[in-house]
Amino acid sequence: MPTTHLSVLGLDVQRVVTPLETADVDADRVRLVRDEADPEQGRDPDDCAPGAPRASAHAAKTVSERLAGRGTVDEARLPFTGSFEELYAATTDLLREAAADGDVRVNLAGAPPQVAAAFYAARTALVDGGELDRGTVSILTIPATDRPDLAAIDDLRTLVSDVEAASDAFAEFRRVADGPAATAVARPLRIALSDLRDALAEASGESRRSRPNSRAGRTAGARGARSNGDSPLGAMSSYVGRAREQLADLVESEGPRPAPEDTRDPNAVLDALDAWLDDESRLLASVEEDPSELVARFRTSCEARFGKFEDRATIELFESLDRFEAHLDAYLDARAQLSAATGPVAERTTDLSERAAEAATSLSALDEAGHATGESALELDGHALSPLGDLEATILSVLAGGPPRSRQRTRRAVAAELRERAEHHGIVAGARDEETWSAFDSFCVGVARDSVTGDRFEKRLSNALSPRLDVAVEGLTANGFVTTRERERGRDALESTDAGRLWMSTTDWESFRETVVDDLLRDCVERDGSVAGA
């Protein structure tokens, strides 16, 4: 008889394909059950939004690829996020349609809780109503042997995104700082250098316009041009300047001859300073060559040539040199401060970017492989093994078995349930020889025998569960098990939905609590040392 395998797609991959790859289930037809409202269906995972949408698209793509060649593979749609009544009706129709061709195997390993509850309820209704034999539809799951913390993964994904955004912002800052900002900061220094070149030309009786080696023209905002062009006065200045140069040489010849580097052509020194500024105009990098030696050489050369004169041009030359040195000191100080401040930031940003890239690679691998792994299929005769966390299951049992409660009263009820379970373990352990007690047994005996210790434990436990309770309630609400009832007075109350009440009515709570509640109790005791020492 043909067998149809319904694999409900969630974020898991391994547990969806396990029963088929390990041959636990032989299927003639495989149908992937997806959310009909999934906005990412059919899209390439890399084009989807980061987080759950991309993970869901990865899961669908990977499952489809890994199940290709295993008979007929197609898809079915269910309203995962619709009302439970709508989901239940669509699920019943799907099971009825699939069972018309033969046996049906439903893998709920990757199913959201509301979808799992709908499949179980639909199967129960079809069997109890006499439409299907009990063996026609089998519900399977793959118990998770390794389940990463999805909240931690989501936080890590957010952190990676924040690091990437910060790295991009810092890269843009460096681009602006070493581009437009560097040009603006260096502009006063360039103007001062241009003024100094003009002052040297005037003191030498030359026209800057006539010098073929002159650098680029003055920038806007610089002092007016000092060249006198071809006027008679300009020509006279040139003769006087050359005479002064010759006189300076005669004065130098009477004394010790200076070292060659001290008598270097001053214009060549200014050209070197100009070239240095062109090469060093990067605010966030340290200065590679110190221009102070060039400035000192220029001052020595000017003092040797013009130091014997006290005319206006000579005075202006040395004043221009003083102004240039002041601008140079300010420029170098700004460069040093910015370089020292941004260096560690740049190194740390680079390191974080590399680590974020490694984390992103790991997250992509998780998305492709699925968030939980398992080994072998387990057939569910009841709803007790529905994929609910221990705290979620405990909260749902409290809400489904009583009136609506505020979050605070719900937390107290959960704490009271855990205290009751601790007292049970304490009574059982207390009947045995004390030498056989484990640390957990000793703790439970203390709770059972001392009401003060028990009260203190319950109070601390209630406080410790507060943040975890909020997360669990949000998960139950998102999956349709719990809703919030608005009240005119007091705090809004939590109550279970039809799906939640169905879950509770089809769950053997007494046997379920032996695993779920005990796991939660042990986890709470191990997490909080202060609780354990109560």
Side-chain angles (χ1 to χ4, degrees):
M1 198 172 190
T3 300
T4 300
H5 185 76
L6 299 179
S7 293
V8 182
L9 288 182
L11 299 182
D12 290 334
V13 173
Q14 297 291 345
R15 295 194 299 156
V16 171
V17 301
T18 291
L20 296 171
E21 290 189 331
T22 59
D24 287 349
V25 174
D26 293 326
D28 301 291
R29 181 186 185 190
V30 178
R31 304 196 72 183
L32 305 179
V33 183
R34 302 183 62 178
D35 184 5
E36 65 181 17
D38 182 4
E40 310 295 354
Q41 55 183 291
R43 295 183 60 192
D44 186 275
D46 294 335
D47 297 332
C48 299
R54 182 174 297 173
S56 178
H58 268 302
K61 180 180 179 181
T62 305
V63 169
S64 298
E65 291 174 351
R66 291 176 61 170
L67 294 183
R70 297 179 180 275
T72 304
V73 179
D74 60 5
E75 293 188 357
R77 309 290 185 188
L78 288 178
F80 284 13
T81 55
S83 65
F84 185 75
E85 292 79 3
E86 181 185 5
L87 175 60
Y88 168 74
T91 304
T92 303
D93 291 340
L94 177 60
L95 287 181
R96 187 182 287 118
E97 174 193 348
D101 297 329
D103 292 338
V104 180
R105 301 290 182 266
V106 183
N107 182 1
L108 296 181
Q114 184 177 9
V115 178
F119 267 102
Y120 184 80
R123 172 182 180 268
T124 301
L126 291 173
V127 171
D128 291 349
E131 290 189 51
L132 300 177
D133 294 333
R134 179 166 296 276
T136 301
V137 178
S138 299
I139 296 180
L140 311 172
T141 191
I142 312 295
T145 56
D146 182 19
R147 184 194 298 274
D149 187 337
L150 298 185
I153 290 175
D154 188 60
D155 291 343
L156 181 58
R157 185 175 282 110
T158 301
L159 181 60
V160 168
S161 178
D162 291 344
V163 170
E164 291 174 347
S167 179
D168 291 341
F170 188 60
E172 178 64 13
F173 168 75
R174 283 186 290 187
R175 185 192 69 80
V176 173
D178 283 340
T183 300
V185 172
R187 187 168 178 268
L189 183 59
R190 291 188 182 277
I191 292 175
L193 182 58
S194 182
D195 288 345
L196 182 58
R197 194 183 291 278
D198 285 347
L200 175 62
E202 187 169 327
S204 301
E206 298 177 355
S207 170
R208 282 197 63 191
R209 193 175 300 171
S210 66
R211 291 186 67 248
N213 293 330
S214 178
R215 306 284 291 185
R218 310 255 331 243
T219 56
R223 297 189 307 122
R226 295 181 178 274
S227 173
N228 294 317
D230 297 327
S231 65
L233 181 58
M236 180 65 71
S237 296
S238 298
Y239 284 118
V240 172
R242 283 193 291 273
R244 292 169 64 188
E245 294 279 357
Q246 293 172 0
L247 180 59
D249 291 339
L250 288 174
V251 171
E252 289 178 356
S253 65
E254 295 177 358
R257 188 173 298 276
E261 59 267 24
D262 293 334
T263 58
R264 184 178 179 182
D265 180 5
N267 283 296
V269 177
L270 295 184
D271 289 342
L273 286 170
D274 224 338
W276 169 84
L277 188 55
D278 288 340
D279 294 338
E280 292 287 337
S281 293
R282 292 175 297 123
L283 286 181
L284 304 185
S286 58
V287 177
E288 297 180 1
E289 296 183 8
D290 189 354
S292 301
E293 184 180 349
L294 289 175
V295 177
R297 184 181 302 169
F298 179 83
R299 181 179 290 277
T300 300
S301 177
C302 288
E303 288 175 348
R305 291 179 177 275
F306 308 113
K308 306 300 186 293
F309 305 101
E310 297 182 357
D311 60 297
R312 181 189 59 78
T314 300
I315 293 173
E316 177 62 24
L317 171 62
F318 285 104
E319 289 179 350
S320 296
L321 178 56
D322 291 339
R323 286 194 293 272
F324 173 76
E325 283 191 294
H327 282 293
L328 179 62
D329 290 342
Y331 177 77
L332 292 176
D333 182 64
R335 287 282 302 277
Q337 296 293 337
L338 285 171
S339 177
T342 58
V345 177
E347 293 178 3
R348 186 59 176 162
T349 302
T350 300
D351 179 56
L352 286 175
S353 297
E354 292 175 353
R355 293 168 61 183
E358 295 175 358
T361 300
S362 299
L363 288 172
S364 296
L366 278 174
D367 289 341
E368 294 175 0
H371 288 134
T373 59
E375 295 179 354
S376 59
L378 178 65
E379 186 166 341
L380 305 181
D381 292 328
H383 196 59
L385 295 178
S386 171
L388 280 181
D390 47 16
L391 182 57
E392 290 176 327
T394 308
I395 292 171
L396 191 54
S397 71
V398 167
L399 294 176
R405 302 170 184 261
S406 66
R407 288 176 182 258
Q408 185 176 12
R409 288 182 179 275
T410 301
R411 187 175 72 247
R412 289 175 180 172
V414 171
E417 171 77 31
L418 294 176
R419 176 185 179 179
E420 179 182 342
R421 195 63 186 167
E423 291 175 344
H424 165 75
H425 285 292
I427 294 172
V428 172
R432 301 196 314 264
D433 188 349
E434 185 173 350
E435 294 180 356
T436 65
W437 295 354
S438 65
F440 178 75
D441 290 335
S442 298
F443 170 78
C444 290
V445 169
V447 172
R449 292 180 176 178
D450 186 349
S451 61
V452 175
T453 300
D455 291 343
R456 189 183 300 120
F457 164 66
E458 184 176 343
K459 182 178 180 180
R460 291 185 180 180
L461 183 60
S462 177
N463 293 334
L465 285 175
S466 180
R468 298 176 62 190
L469 177 85
D470 290 338
V471 174
V473 168
E474 293 303 323
L476 289 169
T477 302
N479 286 297
F481 282 158
V482 169
T483 187
T484 302
R485 174 192 291 182
E486 296 183 0
R487 296 192 289 194
E488 294 182 0
R489 294 183 178 180
R491 301 176 180 176
D492 293 342
L494 302 173
E495 64 177 342
S496 61
T497 62
D498 290 343
R501 285 187 285 273
L502 173 68
W503 183 91
M504 189 61 194
S505 66
T506 56
T507 297
D508 183 358
W509 180 245
E510 290 304 318
S511 61
F512 195 34
R513 75 189 305 201
E514 293 181 2
T515 56
V516 169
V517 178
D518 287 354
D519 287 346
L520 178 58
L521 175 62
R522 292 177 185 275
D523 178 60
C524 291
V525 172
E526 292 174 358
R527 278 190 181 213
D528 192 346
S530 63
V531 173

